[in-house]
Amino acid sequence: MKGMVAPMSVMKRVSLIFRAKANKTLDRMEDPRETLDYSYTRQLEMLTQVRRGVADVATSRKRVELQMNSLRQQQTKLEGQAKQALGAGREDLAREALGRKAALQGQLEDLTTQYSSLQADEEKLTMASQRLQQKVEAFRTQKETIKATYTAAEAQSRIGEAVSGISEEMGDVGMAVQRAQDKTAQMQARAGAIDELMASGALEDVTGPPRDDIQAELDRMRTGPDVDLELERLKNEIGGGPAKQIEGGANSGAAGAAGQGSAAEQPQAGEGS
Amino acid sequence: MIVRILGEGQLEVADSATDALNALDATLEKAVSAGDEAAFRPALTALLDRVRSLGTPVAADSLAPSDFILPYADADIEDVRQMLKEDGLIPG
């Protein structure tokens, strides 16, 4: 690698490389008019490409935003569970919930960094797109002028300069789009990994309704006393007096007589009484 | 002279600044050829900062090519090396 780097200014060499690219465009066509039209077509393509690039980065940013929201929701839920657990005197459970909340914080910070980076890329690309747009507009105007005065000796050098200038801008924008796409692809991969993690339940486990062990424990604690109360009430009812006993008996008898409706009615009667 | 910072656009810089920029550029070039990442970052930052502070933005509708082109701010040594290859980073 060292051998390839001649002792010459970095900034000069980069500009020479850009110039060489522009010259390739200039040498491509025999008729300078064709060069102008060819370059203009390439400019429009590049504009489309950079706009697509901006849209891709925006999509990626929105995806990260959704993931951040979802992680924040889970954190809020865990904190609620911790409070609930503390209220019920279960410090161990509260500690567990807060521990899981803290674990999500790392993910959230990582996503926040990604988000800012994507936001910055989006802004940069948007500005690059605007710069190119203005230059393409200027090129179009100049192209028509040059074409009208094509036979003049001056036209040749003007074409050279306009094409070099715009091709440099396209090279710059093209690199920016490329870099943004590479970065976006990396972030998409990481975002996909988090999505997978959520889908697998590794994160959802903590708070998701079916597998949420903290919630299950809290639910057990809550339903515990309720069940006891209900049992107590039922016991009282049963021991309360013959009138109620008859009423209950009549109800179940009616339900039995109703036949088809009995399955639906009986649990309701049990809950209500 | 016109200097382009890749990703940021073109700036018009007075010719009198040439020596100062060349000195900073020489430091950058040394870091790139030595593969010295530790020296590279501050050298690039110093050069870009100087250009930004001395330059004024070129008119939006100008089609003039740049006299000098500088790597984008977050480029690393490998990026710069790729940029210096004919078939490197520059598309088209």
Side-chain angles (χ1 to χ4, degrees), chain A residues 30-45:
Chain A
E30 289 206 351
D31 183 348
R33 287 170 202 261
E34 284 179 34
T35 307
L36 288 174
D37 290 333
Y38 170 78
S39 177
Y40 188 63
T41 307
R42 294 272 295 110
Q43 292 160 33
L44 296 180
E45 284 168 9

Side-chain angles (χ1 to χ4, degrees), chain A residues 2 8-13 15 17-21 131 134-135 138 142 161 165 168-169 172 179, chain B residues 4 7-8 10 25 29 33 60-63 65-70 72 74 81 84 86 89-91:
Chain A
K2 273 187 187 178
M8 181 183 169
S9 143
V10 172
M11 51 187 195
K12 189 67 207 166
R13 274 192 294 157
S15 69
I17 296 280
F18 270 82
R19 200 65 67 92
K21 296 264 174 186
R131 276 199 301 270
Q134 281 169 320
K135 302 234 178 206
Q142 207 159 318
E161 182 164 293
E168 184 186 305
E169 192 69 42
D172 188 352
R179 268 183 295 142
Chain B
R4 174 184 291 275
E8 296 178 31
Q10 290 175 304
D25 191 20
E29 142 65 23
S33 28
D61 61 352
S62 160
L63 293 175
S66 307
D67 299 291
F68 298 107
I69 300 182
L70 293 175
Y72 41 86
D74 55 353
R81 283 181 171 161
L84 296 174
E86 187 80 33
L89 287 177
I90 309 161

Side-chain angles (χ1 to χ4, degrees), chain A residues 187-205:
Chain A
M187 289 191 182
Q188 291 281 15
R190 288 163 78 183
I194 292 186
D195 278 345
E196 255 170 52
L197 208 59
M198 283 176 170
S200 77
L203 295 177
E204 209 70 47
D205 227 8

